[in-house]
Amino acid sequence: SGLVLTGTSAANYVLMQPSATGTINPLPISIIATATNKTYDGLVNATVTVSTTDTIALADLASGASKLSLGAGTATFASPNAGDGLLVTVSGISLSGTASRNYLFNSTANASANISKASLIITAENDSKVYGEVSTLGGVAYVADANNTTSQSLVTSGYRVTGLIGSDTITGVTLSSIGGLSRAAVNAVNGGAYAIAPSAASGTGFDNYIVSYVNGALTVTPAVLSITATGVDKIYNANAIGTVTLTVSGLKNDDSLN
């Protein structure tokens, strides 16, 4: 519109304003995904934000969600296991708003993020045993080392776990305690209990944890000692003094009575 004729012959014509049609093609823009690091949770779910560096799209985004808004879709790690620089795949990226039809964009994107190890705490349960025994009331049977200086037991009980996630498992823990030795005396450690030290846990998914071990306490209680007196027959000698034979049972570890 707005075309005019000029010149000496212009008055001889009536100018019809021309019209035409054309297509406005969507502007191709690139959507970038940025993934957030997380702590191991046994899941592949990822959290991402999506953005673009295109200045025209940025102006529309700044005008509010009714004009243009970005949707992140679904984001997943390639693996649920802990690690650095893990691939995150984003799908279902979307544009909404009145200006969304003006853009051609990618609906998928890749990013990377870290999954840090989770905290796992293995605590030995407190236990007790009778002096001279190697088995505890909690059902732990200790085995002395070659030098008889400490004892260990690979157990499936006698400990508790805090922080295990999903389908990860603990199949065994080594418990060590000097108190597990048969010769461990009652109240020999500063008048108190012996330490039970957990270690060397085995199971599935362990690479995803920072494992901490917390000691328990092993109390040694006195063994029962029985003395049986058997009288010895004698011939009457006008006094009440008799003779007995004493039989001792319950001594442990080559202990003896004098």
Side-chain angles (χ1 to χ4, degrees):
S1 65
L3 296 178
V4 295
L5 293 176
T6 59
T8 58
S9 297
N12 299 321
Y13 301 93
V14 174
L15 178 62
M16 302 297 293
Q17 295 292 328
S19 63
T21 61
T23 300
I24 300 177
N25 293 315
L27 172 66
I29 62 173
S30 177
I31 305 298
I32 303 165
T34 304
T36 302
N37 297 334
K38 73 171 187 176
T39 300
Y40 172 73
D41 59 5
L43 304 174
V44 295
N45 298 352
T47 300
V48 298
T49 56
V50 289
S51 61
T52 182
T53 58
D54 184 88
T55 55
I56 297 177
L58 287 173
D60 283 345
L61 287 168
S63 298
S66 61
K67 186 168 186 180
L68 189 64
S69 177
L70 269 172
T74 302
T76 57
F77 281 94
S79 166
N81 296 323
D84 294 334
L86 301 175
L87 174 65
V88 176
T89 302
V90 186
S91 61
I93 296 172
S94 62
L95 282 180
S96 59
T98 57
S100 60
R101 62 182 180 273
N102 296 327
Y103 298 97
L104 184 66
F105 62 95
N106 51 292
S107 61
T108 62
N110 290 334
S112 64
N114 304 332
I115 299 179
S116 59
K117 294 184 177 184
S119 174
L120 183 68
I121 301 173
I122 299 175
T123 304
E125 297 282 10
N126 294 337
D127 205 348
S128 64
K129 67 155 209 170
V130 176
Y131 169 72
E133 303 295 329
V134 294
S135 295
T136 70
L137 297 181
V140 177
Y142 286 94
V143 178
D145 65 4
N147 297 318
N148 199 35
T149 56
T150 190
S151 55
Q152 291 184 337
S153 181
L154 179 60
V155 296
T156 57
S157 61
Y159 59 87
R160 63 182 182 273
V161 180
T162 304
L164 198 63
I165 294 170
S167 60
D168 296 339
T169 62
I170 291 181
T171 56
V173 173
T174 297
L175 299 181
S176 302
S177 179
I178 297 175
L181 297 170
S182 64
R183 60 179 174 80
V186 177
N187 295 329
V189 183
N190 296 323
Y194 295 87
I196 304 174
S199 64
S202 59
T204 60
F206 262 42
D207 289 341
N208 295 311
Y209 298 94
I210 298 173
V211 182
S212 300
Y213 294 99
V214 178
N215 290 351
L218 178 58
T219 301
V220 179
T221 60
V224 176
L225 185 66
S226 298
I227 300 177
T228 303
T230 303
V232 178
D233 295 341
K234 72 171 187 175
I235 298 173
Y236 172 74
N237 60 0
N239 67 60
I241 298 174
T243 303
V244 296
T245 300
L246 300 179
T247 303
V248 179
S249 61
L251 286 171
K252 307 290 185 178
N253 301 314
D254 297 324
D255 292 343
S256 61
L257 294 179
N258 296 322

